[in-house]
Amino acid sequence: MSSKEKAAWCCYALILVFLFLLSSTNLILKEKEQEIYPVSVIIDDINDEYYANFRTGMAMAAENYHVDVNFITLYADNDQEQQLELLRREVRDGARAVVLAPVNESSAVMALEELPSGCPIVLLGSSTGNSSVACSISPDMQALGKQLAGQIVLKENPQVPVCLLTEGLAYSGNRELYDGLSMVLEEHGFSIRLVQKADEDTYRRVIEETVYPESSRILLVAMDPEALHDAADIISGSSVYREHVEALYGVGSTVAILNRLDEGVIDGLITYNQFDEGYLGIERAVEAIQGTAPGRREEMEAYYIEAEDLQEGTYEKLLYPMQ
C-alpha cells in the first residue's frame, strides 16, 4: 500500500471518528426533548377514597401524555373557600392546566372568571358551558336521577315513604340529581323527604325514627357516595335497622360500597365510568394546553347495577379497571 493510500485511509478514519463524536455529543442529530406538562388536579374531598378508579385512569393518561400531575385534596370536607384558594395558588405557581372537581359549581365558575387567562380549566361533575371552562366532564345528573328513580318505581311500593339523603344540595350536580329523582318518584305517587347532612348522626337519626317512638318503614336513597357509604354502614350494623329499612339505593361505586351491594345491604346503585373520567380529564387538559381542544362537554354514560350484576361480572371492567 502506497503512502498516499495510507494517508487516505487515515483521513477516512479520522472523518469517521469525528462524525461519531459529533453524533454522540448530540451536535448533529439533536433529539427532541419531550415536553412535560404540569397539570394540577383538585378534588372536593379530604382524601381520594371516592376517587380510586379516577386516579387509575388519570395515571394512565399522565403516562401517555407526559404529564406531571399534582393531585390535591382538601383539608376539610367540602370547603369551598379553601378549594378556590388552592385553585388560585396552582394557577399562580405555574400549572399549565387545572382539572377541578368543584365543591360548588356556580361559585367555582365565578372564581374562574377572575383568574388570569392562559391556564385552561377542566371541570368534573359539571355541565356548565361557561367560556372560562376548556371542557366539562360529567354524566347528565338529572337524567341519572330519573334513571335511578325509574328503577325504584319498578321495584318498590309507593306507600312506603322515601327519604333522600345527601351531603348537601349546594354541592355540584346534586340539585340536578334531586330534580330528576323527585320528578319521577312524585309522578308515581311516592312521598319524598329530603335530608341534608347536618352532623355525623343525621342519617342515623332518620333511621332511628322508624324504630321508635312508633314502628314504621322507610325507603332510603343516598344521593352521593358519602351518604350511601354512611347509610350502608349504619344499616349493616343493626339487625333492627334492617327490619325497618325497606330498601337502600344510591349513587357511587367504591370498593366498600360494592361490597355492601354484594352483601345485600344496598339494593341497587347507579354509577358511571370513573376510570374514563380520570383519563379524559388529563387528556382534555393536555389538548387545551396545546390549543387543540375547543370548549365542549363530555357526557358520561350512567349504569344501574344490582348484586346480580356483580356476581355475573357484567360490569367488571367498569367497576374494577386494570384488574
Side-chain angles (χ1 to χ4, degrees):
M1 181 182 294
S2 68
S3 59
K4 287 185 178 181
E5 289 176 329
K6 291 180 179 179
W9 280 109
C10 288
C11 287
Y12 292 148
L14 288 172
I15 290 171
L16 289 174
V17 170
F18 179 68
L19 290 174
F20 172 77
L21 290 174
L22 283 177
S23 61
S24 64
T25 54
N26 205 26
L27 293 176
I28 293 179
L29 302 174
K30 289 182 177 290
E31 293 184 8
K32 183 180 178 181
E33 291 187 10
Q34 178 61 58
E35 183 175 5
I36 304 298
Y37 302 105
V39 174
S40 297
V41 178
I42 307 174
I43 64 170
D44 55 356
D45 212 335
I46 58 175
N47 58 54
D48 64 353
E49 180 180 1
Y50 302 106
Y51 283 84
N53 287 351
F54 175 91
R55 291 201 71 171
T56 303
M58 180 189 74
M60 177 177 284
E63 182 177 351
N64 291 344
Y65 288 96
H66 310 286
V67 174
D68 180 15
V69 174
N70 184 19
F71 188 83
I72 302 169
T73 60
L74 303 182
Y75 305 123
D77 272 331
N78 297 310
D79 190 328
Q80 173 186 315
E81 290 304 318
Q82 180 191 103
Q83 186 184 59
L84 296 180
E85 182 52 42
L86 289 170
L87 171 62
R88 297 184 191 101
R89 183 194 72 185
E90 292 305 300
V91 173
R92 184 174 62 246
D93 290 351
R96 296 286 301 279
V98 175
V99 179
L100 178 68
V103 172
N104 182 290
E105 180 181 335
S106 58
S107 297
V109 170
M110 289 177 61
L112 295 182
E113 294 174 351
E114 300 172 0
L115 291 176
S117 60
C119 181
I121 308 295
V122 175
L123 281 190
L124 305 177
S126 168
S127 58
T128 184
N130 190 282
S131 59
S132 302
V133 177
C135 179
S136 61
I137 303 171
S138 76
D140 182 328
M141 295 305 288
Q142 186 174 102
L144 185 148
K146 290 180 178 180
Q147 185 177 346
L148 179 57
Q151 292 294 328
I152 295 170
V153 166
L154 290 174
K155 303 172 189 300
E156 304 299 336
N157 182 357
Q159 299 302 313
V160 179
V162 177
C163 187
L164 304 178
L165 308 176
T166 178
E167 299 290 291
L169 279 189
Y171 303 138
S172 293
N174 279 1
R175 169 59 69 178
E176 292 82 3
L177 176 63
Y178 172 78
D179 290 343
L181 280 166
S182 59
M183 185 184 305
V184 173
L185 292 175
E186 289 176 344
E187 283 177 356
H188 289 83
F190 286 82
S191 62
I192 294 173
R193 173 189 171 196
L194 175 67
V195 174
Q196 301 186 68
K197 186 175 181 179
D199 55 53
E200 293 303 315
D201 292 323
T202 299
Y203 304 147
R204 184 179 298 276
R205 286 194 296 269
V206 169
I207 299 171
E208 285 180 347
E209 289 172 0
T210 66
V211 180
Y212 48 85
E214 295 182 7
S215 179
S216 60
R217 297 185 69 76
I218 193 171
L219 197 160
L220 298 178
V221 181
M223 292 172 50
D224 25 56
E226 295 88 346
L228 182 56
H229 182 276
D230 291 350
D233 276 358
I234 293 167
I235 296 168
S236 65
S238 169
S239 59
V240 176
Y241 290 163
R242 295 187 74 162
E243 291 175 3
H244 290 264
V245 175
E246 186 78 11
L248 171 62
Y249 296 88
V251 178
S253 58
T254 66
V255 172
I257 287 173
L258 293 175
N259 287 340
R260 294 303 189 195
L261 178 67
D262 195 35
E263 294 165 6
V265 177
I266 298 172
D267 293 84
L269 59 82
I270 197 160
T271 189
Y272 56 94
N273 195 323
Q274 292 177 303
F275 175 91
D276 284 356
E277 181 186 37
Y279 192 97
L280 281 171
I282 298 301
E283 184 177 59
R284 296 295 175 261
V286 172
E287 290 175 350
I289 292 170
Q290 296 173 339
T292 59
R296 57 181 161 176
R297 180 174 175 227
E298 295 282 356
E299 186 171 305
M300 310 295 295
E301 184 178 356
Y303 302 88
Y304 176 77
I305 298 172
E306 295 183 341
E308 183 179 339
D309 298 311
L310 292 183
Q311 294 153 12
E312 294 178 354
T314 308
Y315 297 105
E316 186 170 359
K317 289 185 178 179
L318 168 73
L319 301 171
Y320 305 103
M322 308 304 291
Q323 290 188 6

